[in-house]
PDB file of all heavy atoms in Angstrom:
ATOM      1  N   THR X 152      80.638  90.163  89.007  1.00 97.00           N
ATOM      2  CA  THR X 152      80.341  90.389  87.495  1.00 97.00           C
ATOM      3  C   THR X 152      81.119  91.710  87.049  1.00 97.00           C
ATOM      4  O   THR X 152      81.332  92.577  87.920  1.00 97.00           O
ATOM      5  CB  THR X 152      78.845  90.535  87.261  1.00 97.00           C
ATOM      6  OG1 THR X 152      78.363  91.539  88.065  1.00 97.00           O
ATOM      7  CG2 THR X 152      78.100  89.226  87.611  1.00 97.00           C
ATOM      8  N   CYS X 153      81.270  91.762  85.750  1.00 96.00           N
ATOM      9  CA  CYS X 153      81.825  92.911  85.153  1.00 96.00           C
ATOM     10  C   CYS X 153      81.232  93.082  83.826  1.00 96.00           C
ATOM     11  O   CYS X 153      81.340  92.086  82.978  1.00 96.00           O
ATOM     12  CB  CYS X 153      83.350  92.771  85.100  1.00 96.00           C
ATOM     13  SG  CYS X 153      84.204  94.260  84.548  1.00 96.00           S
ATOM     14  N   ASN X 154      80.570  94.211  83.514  1.00 93.00           N
ATOM     15  CA  ASN X 154      79.969  94.495  82.249  1.00 93.00           C
ATOM     16  C   ASN X 154      79.111  93.290  81.816  1.00 93.00           C
ATOM     17  O   ASN X 154      79.081  92.917  80.626  1.00 93.00           O
ATOM     18  CB  ASN X 154      80.978  94.718  81.127  1.00 93.00           C
ATOM     19  CG  ASN X 154      81.725  95.959  81.434  1.00 93.00           C
ATOM     20  OD1 ASN X 154      81.244  96.949  81.985  1.00 93.00           O
ATOM     21  ND2 ASN X 154      83.073  96.003  81.132  1.00 93.00           N
ATOM     22  N   GLY X 155      78.337  92.764  82.696  1.00 95.00           N
ATOM     23  CA  GLY X 155      77.364  91.641  82.335  1.00 95.00           C
ATOM     24  C   GLY X 155      77.995  90.290  82.350  1.00 95.00           C
ATOM     25  O   GLY X 155      77.220  89.345  82.239  1.00 95.00           O
ATOM     26  N   ASP X 156      79.307  90.100  82.428  1.00 96.00           N
ATOM     27  CA  ASP X 156      79.969  88.790  82.483  1.00 96.00           C
ATOM     28  C   ASP X 156      80.197  88.392  83.909  1.00 96.00           C
ATOM     29  O   ASP X 156      80.608  89.157  84.696  1.00 96.00           O
ATOM     30  CB  ASP X 156      81.279  88.842  81.804  1.00 96.00           C
ATOM     31  CG  ASP X 156      81.207  88.885  80.302  1.00 96.00           C
ATOM     32  OD1 ASP X 156      80.220  88.242  79.758  1.00 96.00           O
ATOM     33  OD2 ASP X 156      81.995  89.567  79.641  1.00 96.00           O
ATOM     34  N   VAL X 157      80.013  87.099  84.157  1.00 98.00           N
ATOM     35  CA  VAL X 157      80.438  86.505  85.475  1.00 98.00           C
ATOM     36  C   VAL X 157      81.967  86.409  85.376  1.00 98.00           C
ATOM     37  O   VAL X 157      82.623  85.938  84.400  1.00 98.00           O
ATOM     38  CB  VAL X 157      79.950  85.084  85.584  1.00 98.00           C
ATOM     39  CG1 VAL X 157      80.461  84.472  86.897  1.00 98.00           C
ATOM     40  CG2 VAL X 157      78.407  85.093  85.631  1.00 98.00           C
ATOM     41  N   VAL X 158      82.678  87.041  86.342  1.00 98.00           N
ATOM     42  CA  VAL X 158      84.109  87.018  86.441  1.00 98.00           C
ATOM     43  C   VAL X 158      84.812  86.402  87.651  1.00 98.00           C
ATOM     44  O   VAL X 158      85.990  86.221  87.710  1.00 98.00           O
ATOM     45  CB  VAL X 158      84.681  88.493  86.225  1.00 98.00           C
ATOM     46  CG1 VAL X 158      84.399  89.028  84.771  1.00 98.00           C
ATOM     47  CG2 VAL X 158      84.144  89.470  87.306  1.00 98.00           C
ATOM     48  N   LEU X 159      83.835  86.015  88.553  1.00 98.00           N
ATOM     49  CA  LEU X 159      84.324  85.285  89.820  1.00 98.00           C
ATOM     50  C   LEU X 159      83.269  84.284  90.106  1.00 98.00           C
ATOM     51  O   LEU X 159      82.044  84.703  90.320  1.00 98.00           O
ATOM     52  CB  LEU X 159      84.524  86.288  90.966  1.00 98.00           C
ATOM     53  CG  LEU X 159      85.084  85.721  92.230  1.00 98.00           C
ATOM     54  CD1 LEU X 159      86.537  85.268  92.189  1.00 98.00           C
ATOM     55  CD2 LEU X 159      84.990  86.829  93.380  1.00 98.00           C
ATOM     56  N   GLY X 160      83.526  83.026  90.150  1.00 98.00           N
ATOM     57  CA  GLY X 160      82.543  81.994  90.393  1.00 98.00           C
ATOM     58  C   GLY X 160      83.111  80.890  91.314  1.00 98.00           C
ATOM     59  O   GLY X 160      84.316  80.700  91.417  1.00 98.00           O
ATOM     60  N   ARG X 161      82.128  80.192  91.943  1.00 98.00           N
ATOM     61  CA  ARG X 161      82.492  79.097  92.912  1.00 98.00           C
ATOM     62  C   ARG X 161      81.612  77.926  92.788  1.00 98.00           C
ATOM     63  O   ARG X 161      80.466  78.145  92.619  1.00 98.00           O
ATOM     64  CB  ARG X 161      82.396  79.681  94.336  1.00 98.00           C
ATOM     65  CG  ARG X 161      82.647  78.563  95.364  1.00 98.00           C
ATOM     66  CD  ARG X 161      82.435  79.021  96.764  1.00 98.00           C
ATOM     67  NE  ARG X 161      82.603  78.047  97.729  1.00 98.00           N
ATOM     68  CZ  ARG X 161      82.639  78.239  99.110  1.00 98.00           C
ATOM     69  NH1 ARG X 161      82.442  79.483  99.559  1.00 98.00           N
ATOM     70  NH2 ARG X 161      82.836  77.221  99.879  1.00 98.00           N
ATOM     71  N   GLN X 162      82.247  76.774  92.783  1.00 98.00           N
ATOM     72  CA  GLN X 162      81.482  75.509  92.835  1.00 98.00           C
ATOM     73  C   GLN X 162      82.155  74.638  93.975  1.00 98.00           C
ATOM     74  O   GLN X 162      83.318  74.233  93.853  1.00 98.00           O
ATOM     75  CB  GLN X 162      81.510  74.764  91.542  1.00 98.00           C
ATOM     76  CG  GLN X 162      80.744  73.514  91.549  1.00 98.00           C
ATOM     77  CD  GLN X 162      80.742  72.727  90.182  1.00 98.00           C
ATOM     78  OE1 GLN X 162      80.929  73.323  89.147  1.00 98.00           O
ATOM     79  NE2 GLN X 162      80.594  71.391  90.239  1.00 98.00           N
ATOM     80  N   ASN X 163      81.463  74.564  95.032  1.00 98.00           N
ATOM     81  CA  ASN X 163      81.995  73.876  96.263  1.00 98.00           C
ATOM     82  C   ASN X 163      83.377  74.394  96.655  1.00 98.00           C
ATOM     83  O   ASN X 163      83.508  75.588  96.998  1.00 98.00           O
ATOM     84  CB  ASN X 163      81.954  72.344  96.027  1.00 98.00           C
ATOM     85  CG  ASN X 163      80.587  71.809  95.703  1.00 98.00           C
ATOM     86  OD1 ASN X 163      79.659  72.302  96.313  1.00 98.00           O
ATOM     87  ND2 ASN X 163      80.505  70.907  94.856  1.00 98.00           N
ATOM     88  N   ASN X 164      84.432  73.513  96.487  1.00 98.00           N
ATOM     89  CA  ASN X 164      85.809  73.906  96.988  1.00 98.00           C
ATOM     90  C   ASN X 164      86.617  74.566  95.796  1.00 98.00           C
ATOM     91  O   ASN X 164      87.832  74.647  96.010  1.00 98.00           O
ATOM     92  CB  ASN X 164      86.516  72.685  97.506  1.00 98.00           C
ATOM     93  CG  ASN X 164      86.477  71.537  96.509  1.00 98.00           C
ATOM     94  OD1 ASN X 164      85.655  71.425  95.749  1.00 98.00           O
ATOM     95  ND2 ASN X 164      87.527  70.660  96.642  1.00 98.00           N
ATOM     96  N   VAL X 165      85.987  74.953  94.806  1.00 98.00           N
ATOM     97  CA  VAL X 165      86.752  75.554  93.602  1.00 98.00           C
ATOM     98  C   VAL X 165      86.284  76.889  93.289  1.00 98.00           C
ATOM     99  O   VAL X 165      85.108  77.136  93.110  1.00 98.00           O
ATOM    100  CB  VAL X 165      86.575  74.622  92.368  1.00 98.00           C
ATOM    101  CG1 VAL X 165      87.413  75.209  91.190  1.00 98.00           C
ATOM    102  CG2 VAL X 165      87.021  73.175  92.672  1.00 98.00           C
ATOM    103  N   LEU X 166      87.217  77.865  93.342  1.00 98.00           N
ATOM    104  CA  LEU X 166      86.974  79.307  93.051  1.00 98.00           C
ATOM    105  C   LEU X 166      87.695  79.680  91.845  1.00 98.00           C
ATOM    106  O   LEU X 166      88.935  79.302  91.669  1.00 98.00           O
ATOM    107  CB  LEU X 166      87.475  80.154  94.296  1.00 98.00           C
ATOM    108  CG  LEU X 166      87.372  81.633  94.204  1.00 98.00           C
ATOM    109  CD1 LEU X 166      85.904  82.053  94.333  1.00 98.00           C
ATOM    110  CD2 LEU X 166      88.108  82.275  95.424  1.00 98.00           C
ATOM    111  N   VAL X 167      87.152  80.451  90.903  1.00 98.00           N
ATOM    112  CA  VAL X 167      87.870  80.912  89.683  1.00 98.00           C
ATOM    113  C   VAL X 167      87.553  82.373  89.468  1.00 98.00           C
ATOM    114  O   VAL X 167      86.507  82.881  89.697  1.00 98.00           O
ATOM    115  CB  VAL X 167      87.479  80.106  88.496  1.00 98.00           C
ATOM    116  CG1 VAL X 167      87.978  78.628  88.555  1.00 98.00           C
ATOM    117  CG2 VAL X 167      86.002  80.132  88.188  1.00 98.00           C
ATOM    118  N   ALA X 168      88.591  83.056  88.927  1.00 98.00           N
ATOM    119  CA  ALA X 168      88.531  84.436  88.519  1.00 98.00           C
ATOM    120  C   ALA X 168      89.126  84.637  87.129  1.00 98.00           C
ATOM    121  O   ALA X 168      90.176  84.109  86.877  1.00 98.00           O
ATOM    122  CB  ALA X 168      89.235  85.405  89.603  1.00 98.00           C
ATOM    123  N   SER X 169      88.384  85.410  86.300  1.00 98.00           N
ATOM    124  CA  SER X 169      88.951  85.752  85.009  1.00 98.00           C
ATOM    125  C   SER X 169      89.959  86.898  85.094  1.00 98.00           C
ATOM    126  O   SER X 169      90.788  87.109  84.171  1.00 98.00           O
ATOM    127  CB  SER X 169      87.880  85.921  83.954  1.00 98.00           C
ATOM    128  OG  SER X 169      86.925  86.801  84.396  1.00 98.00           O
ATOM    129  N   PHE X 170      89.870  87.609  86.190  1.00 97.00           N
ATOM    130  CA  PHE X 170      90.782  88.825  86.399  1.00 97.00           C
ATOM    131  C   PHE X 170      91.875  88.380  87.370  1.00 97.00           C
ATOM    132  O   PHE X 170      92.040  87.166  87.719  1.00 97.00           O
ATOM    133  CB  PHE X 170      90.022  89.986  86.814  1.00 97.00           C
ATOM    134  CG  PHE X 170      89.304  89.766  88.121  1.00 97.00           C
ATOM    135  CD1 PHE X 170      89.765  90.271  89.312  1.00 97.00           C
ATOM    136  CD2 PHE X 170      88.112  89.067  88.206  1.00 97.00           C
ATOM    137  CE1 PHE X 170      89.079  90.134  90.499  1.00 97.00           C
ATOM    138  CE2 PHE X 170      87.429  88.896  89.343  1.00 97.00           C
ATOM    139  CZ  PHE X 170      87.920  89.381  90.516  1.00 97.00           C
ATOM    140  N   HIS X 171      92.648  89.412  87.745  1.00 97.00           N
ATOM    141  CA  HIS X 171      93.881  89.173  88.560  1.00 97.00           C
ATOM    142  C   HIS X 171      93.833  89.892  89.917  1.00 97.00           C
ATOM    143  O   HIS X 171      94.366  90.995  90.052  1.00 97.00           O
ATOM    144  CB  HIS X 171      95.234  89.593  87.838  1.00 97.00           C
ATOM    145  CG  HIS X 171      95.496  88.814  86.702  1.00 97.00           C
ATOM    146  ND1 HIS X 171      96.407  87.722  86.862  1.00 97.00           N
ATOM    147  CD2 HIS X 171      95.175  88.826  85.446  1.00 97.00           C
ATOM    148  CE1 HIS X 171      96.551  87.183  85.626  1.00 97.00           C
ATOM    149  NE2 HIS X 171      95.863  87.816  84.735  1.00 97.00           N
ATOM    150  N   PRO X 172      93.137  89.338  90.975  1.00 98.00           N
ATOM    151  CA  PRO X 172      92.993  90.059  92.153  1.00 98.00           C
ATOM    152  C   PRO X 172      94.331  90.212  92.890  1.00 98.00           C
ATOM    153  O   PRO X 172      94.497  91.061  93.777  1.00 98.00           O
ATOM    154  CB  PRO X 172      92.096  89.141  93.052  1.00 98.00           C
ATOM    155  CG  PRO X 172      91.958  87.834  92.274  1.00 98.00           C
ATOM    156  CD  PRO X 172      92.316  88.091  90.857  1.00 98.00           C
ATOM    157  N   GLU X 173      95.383  89.421  92.440  1.00 98.00           N
ATOM    158  CA  GLU X 173      96.703  89.578  93.082  1.00 98.00           C
ATOM    159  C   GLU X 173      97.410  90.676  92.587  1.00 98.00           C
ATOM    160  O   GLU X 173      98.533  91.036  93.126  1.00 98.00           O
ATOM    161  CB  GLU X 173      97.450  88.198  92.792  1.00 98.00           C
ATOM    162  CG  GLU X 173      98.022  87.965  91.426  1.00 98.00           C
ATOM    163  CD  GLU X 173      96.960  87.602  90.393  1.00 98.00           C
ATOM    164  OE1 GLU X 173      95.745  87.671  90.740  1.00 98.00           O
ATOM    165  OE2 GLU X 173      97.348  87.280  89.279  1.00 98.00           O
ATOM    166  N   LEU X 174      97.001  91.474  91.642  1.00 97.00           N
ATOM    167  CA  LEU X 174      97.645  92.617  91.099  1.00 97.00           C
ATOM    168  C   LEU X 174      97.127  93.934  91.529  1.00 97.00           C
ATOM    169  O   LEU X 174      97.413  94.969  91.078  1.00 97.00           O
ATOM    170  CB  LEU X 174      97.651  92.559  89.497  1.00 97.00           C
ATOM    171  CG  LEU X 174      98.330  91.419  88.868  1.00 97.00           C
ATOM    172  CD1 LEU X 174      98.351  91.483  87.418  1.00 97.00           C
ATOM    173  CD2 LEU X 174      99.791  91.273  89.444  1.00 97.00           C
ATOM    174  N   THR X 175      96.218  93.951  92.560  1.00 97.00           N
ATOM    175  CA  THR X 175      95.766  95.093  93.144  1.00 97.00           C
ATOM    176  C   THR X 175      96.033  95.034  94.686  1.00 97.00           C
ATOM    177  O   THR X 175      96.465  93.969  95.151  1.00 97.00           O
ATOM    178  CB  THR X 175      94.242  95.345  92.958  1.00 97.00           C
ATOM    179  OG1 THR X 175      93.488  94.259  93.626  1.00 97.00           O
ATOM    180  CG2 THR X 175      93.820  95.269  91.482  1.00 97.00           C
ATOM    181  N   SER X 176      95.805  96.160  95.345  1.00 97.00           N
ATOM    182  CA  SER X 176      96.054  96.126  96.786  1.00 97.00           C
ATOM    183  C   SER X 176      94.784  95.873  97.571  1.00 97.00           C
ATOM    184  O   SER X 176      94.633  96.301  98.712  1.00 97.00           O
ATOM    185  CB  SER X 176      96.752  97.354  97.249  1.00 97.00           C
ATOM    186  OG  SER X 176      96.186  98.409  96.776  1.00 97.00           O
ATOM    187  N   ASP X 177      93.738  95.311  96.912  1.00 97.00           N
ATOM    188  CA  ASP X 177      92.466  94.942  97.586  1.00 97.00           C
ATOM    189  C   ASP X 177      92.512  93.463  97.719  1.00 97.00           C
ATOM    190  O   ASP X 177      92.620  92.708  96.778  1.00 97.00           O
ATOM    191  CB  ASP X 177      91.359  95.355  96.622  1.00 97.00           C
ATOM    192  CG  ASP X 177      89.967  95.159  97.253  1.00 97.00           C
ATOM    193  OD1 ASP X 177      89.792  94.269  98.041  1.00 97.00           O
ATOM    194  OD2 ASP X 177      89.110  95.958  96.870  1.00 97.00           O
TER     195      ASP X 177
END
Side-chain angles (χ1 to χ4, degrees):
T152 55
C153 185
N154 296 325
D156 285 325
V157 176
V158 293
L159 181 70
R161 173 184 180 175
Q162 182 177 334
N163 302 321
N164 54 335
V165 181
L166 179 69
V167 292
S169 47
F170 59 102
H171 289 269
E173 75 284 10
L174 297 182
T175 66
S176 49
D177 186 328

